[in-house]
Amino acid sequence: MSVKELQINVANITVGDFYAKTTWGKDDYGVSILQVNEGGTINFNADKAVFDGSTNVAGGVFGSGSWGTLNITANELSIDGNICGTYGTLTGIQHADAFDLHITAGNLVMAGDINAGSMGDGYSKHDRTTNIAVNVTDTAELTGDINVYERGNIAISSDTMNWEGSATVNKGTLDISKVNNLTLTGVTANADEAVLKVTNGGTLAVNENGKLGINDLKTAGTYKIVSVDESSTANFWKDENLAYDRTSMFAEVKQNNRDYDVVYKELQDLSADEKEAAKEQIVAAAGGTSLAATSVIGSIVTDSGAVAKSAPGAKAFVAAVTGSADITSAQAAAHINAAVQMGETSGTSANAVSVASNVTGTVTGRMSLNAAPIAEVGGKGRSLYEDKSGAGIWAQYVHGKDKVRDMAMAGGSASYDSKYNGFVLGTDFAKIGKFQSGIAFTYGSGDTTSVGGAAYSRNDFDFWGVSLYGSMRNSDTNLIADIGYSRSDSDVEQNNFGSLLTANPKTDTITLGIKGEKLYQYDNLQVMPYVGLRYLSVDTGSYSSDIGGLAAFNYAPERQNIWLLPVGVSLTYENITDNGWKIRPNVDLSYMWAMGDTDSSMTVGLPGTTAADRLGYTIMDKGSFIGKVGLEAEKGHMTYGVSYSYQKGSDAKSNKWFVDLKYSF
């Protein structure tokens, strides 16, 4: 420890780690570890500070002689002992000044009482005002009582406060209106006294919009939270902001101007009206209008018996989310919305479309007029349309990266990154007149990870497929057609509010396409405008999720019928080297319209119940620009190629790299 600055009545102390323990014993009142006297000021700053001091009612860790200012700041603060704002046992002090104690911490752990004000005869009796402010950025863990007496003011602010103890507000003020999430521990049913007692003109201020949780709720009964006598004032928490296991119990607030009691009942003991109220409460706690699956969440209450047996995973998950005092109802909605749409938060349907598009783009490119060389020199690598050309085999490797941001879905949006690697192996049949055809097989794997959002989703998927393709060339025009089938098998995992949800959706895609081309040749330059039309049937069968082997949600996506209309132009230049290589750079620019079921929906439900919600989501952009550049080199029977394509829509973009190898017989 080092004293950086010392002035008359002012001490500025800055340390790294600090530890102090009283030498008087835990129950001696003694002198506080940090104490200001007669107008003094102490400014204490530390990264980590531990204070082990007195637990006597008239002693403590922090205190004062008569008046002054004590400022405590630490990232991590631990207190074992009382905060003494009662002026010890001295009495009869007459002065107008105040004792001001300000505690600022990132996290606070305290075992001891917080006392402020004039206790009266037998302890402290004085006219000074005591102001204690405890400001915690993150979490406050408090074990002990809070006592406010005459001319005492205690204000506590924290994002999360876990408290085991009770409070007496006697003539003073207790302000916890800036505690966002308060959890009470050690509260018992049907107790004689309330946790917070306000008497003799005292004032209690709580955060009406904050969460209130009762951590030790075990039995049905009445839990006395606040009692207020006729001379005192207090406000209370809103009913929907109570945090408890709403999937098993129902909390009914009994409130008047004087008292705030919470009556808990088992769901099976509810009347019809109470069950409807319980349904409304759990939906409100799960996000209300922000919640995508209101019927499903409500059925956990109305069909509690069936849900407990057939969907225990969903019940436990919803209980944890809606019963937490650490999150708002809007945050609860985000967690639940992610769970009921876990397949689409990881791009299950979008991946299937992307995989199918890769294969169809490859096979139509194989049959394109670009496959015909400008000069009949060298091998037959791409010379599928030459007279007397024979069969050939070819292979392509593709590496793709898709990025989706804020794609619309029920209750919010989906953002994810996808990458995959695949191989296409094809064979071209011998040319028959103007007709050329072939067959291709594809296989690959990839993964998708969600970006941002309330939950982290990952989709590891494999895919395979087969395509038949053919073309009819007539001089400088060409008509290409193909039909294909592909299957994507996904293993989806979602880490969501401490739970791991798993699911295995499978998607079947059937595609049919037709493309027309027109070739314009200027010496070694080919200019080829084209237009196409493609139909995709994307069918993800019904599937289910579980949590730790326990059944959670059922999902039944609709089949999507999607139509794609690409319009573009391709430019190819061919150069023949002295040693016989044909070098062909290529540029392809297009725009593609997407029509049909680009916006789709699914039905989400719970096993063992009839409750279901219909949730909408977007699969792909309604339009996108596509650019592709490539380079091929042909000599003899072999052709080698590399290319890169970029696709950009309003919410999605894609980068793909290709490597080609072709052999003609």
Side-chain angles (χ1 to χ4, degrees), residues 75-99:
N75 291 326
E76 301 291 332
L77 179 60
S78 177
I79 299 174
D80 189 346
N82 293 346
I83 291 176
C84 182
T86 57
Y87 202 11
T89 59
L90 299 179
T91 62
I93 301 299
Q94 304 276 326
H95 57 79
D97 295 297
F99 170 46

Side-chain angles (χ1 to χ4, degrees), residues 3 11 43 56 70 74-75 84 91 104 135 233 250 315 318 352 404 442 475 478 491 506 523 535 538 559 574 641:
V3 177
N43 298 312
N56 186 278
L70 181 55
N75 291 326
C84 182
T91 62
T104 303
N135 301 305
T233 59
F250 169 59
K315 179 182 181 298
V318 175
V404 175
T442 183
S475 182
N478 190 29
D491 292 320
K506 303 180 186 300
D523 297 326
Y535 166 74
V538 184
R559 187 182 72 174
E574 184 174 89

Side-chain angles (χ1 to χ4, degrees), residues 255-526:
Q255 175 186 327
N256 52 43
N257 293 330
R258 305 271 67 86
D259 301 306
Y260 182 88
D261 298 336
V262 181
V263 180
Y264 286 92
K265 296 181 179 180
E266 302 281 351
L267 290 182
Q268 62 266 25
D269 298 330
L270 300 182
S271 67
D273 289 343
E274 289 174 332
K275 185 165 287 191
E276 187 63 27
K279 175 184 175 181
E280 293 176 359
Q281 274 200 13
I282 196 171
V283 170
T289 57
S290 300
L291 180 65
T294 55
S295 297
V296 168
I297 301 307
S299 71
I300 295 178
V301 171
T302 56
D303 300 323
S304 58
V307 172
K309 294 179 181 179
S310 60
K315 179 182 181 298
F317 172 72
V318 175
V321 173
T322 60
S324 174
D326 297 331
I327 60 174
T328 65
S329 59
Q331 292 169 329
H335 285 285
I336 295 174
N337 289 345
V340 299
Q341 301 173 99
M342 61 178 299
E344 297 311 316
T345 62
S346 56
T348 296
S349 299
N351 287 336
V353 172
S354 181
V355 168
S357 298
N358 286 339
V359 179
T360 58
T362 299
V363 298
T364 56
R366 181 65 178 161
M367 292 288 99
S368 175
L369 288 172
N370 288 330
I374 296 173
E376 307 295 342
V377 179
K380 300 178 180 179
R382 290 200 343 172
S383 306
L384 298 177
Y385 297 104
E386 295 180 42
D387 292 336
K388 300 179 181 181
S389 66
I393 59 174
W394 55 272
Q396 182 183 78
Y397 163 77
V398 58
H399 174 71
K401 289 186 176 180
D402 298 335
K403 180 179 290 186
V404 175
R405 293 294 182 269
D406 300 322
M407 191 75 80
M409 63 189 310
S413 61
S415 298
Y416 50 84
D417 293 332
S418 182
K419 62 180 185 292
Y420 51 87
N421 297 283
F423 294 90
V424 185
L425 180 64
T427 182
D428 302 317
F429 304 134
K431 179 183 175 187
I432 303 175
K434 298 179 180 181
F435 182 70
Q436 180 73 46
S437 63
I439 186 170
F441 303 89
T442 183
Y443 176 80
S445 62
D447 61 78
T448 302
T449 55
S450 63
V451 177
Y456 173 77
S457 300
R458 179 181 174 92
N459 179 3
D460 292 309
F461 59 93
D462 299 319
F463 56 88
W464 62 270
V466 60
S467 297
L468 294 172
Y469 54 91
S471 68
M472 183 69 70
R473 182 181 182 184
N474 193 12
S475 182
D476 57 356
T477 60
N478 190 29
L479 186 66
I480 306 169
D482 69 276
I483 182 171
Y485 166 82
S486 62
R487 159 67 71 93
S488 296
D489 294 336
S490 299
D491 292 320
V492 182
E493 291 186 347
Q494 184 180 93
N495 289 293
N496 194 335
F497 205 74
S499 296
L500 179 63
L501 290 84
T502 59
N504 303 110
K506 303 180 186 300
T507 304
D508 297 311
T509 303
I510 297 173
T511 180
L512 298 94
I514 189 168
K515 178 181 180 183
E517 302 174 334
K518 172 69 174 177
L519 181 66
Y520 300 92
Q521 187 164 321
Y522 307 94
D523 297 326
N524 287 12
L525 177 65
Q526 292 177 326

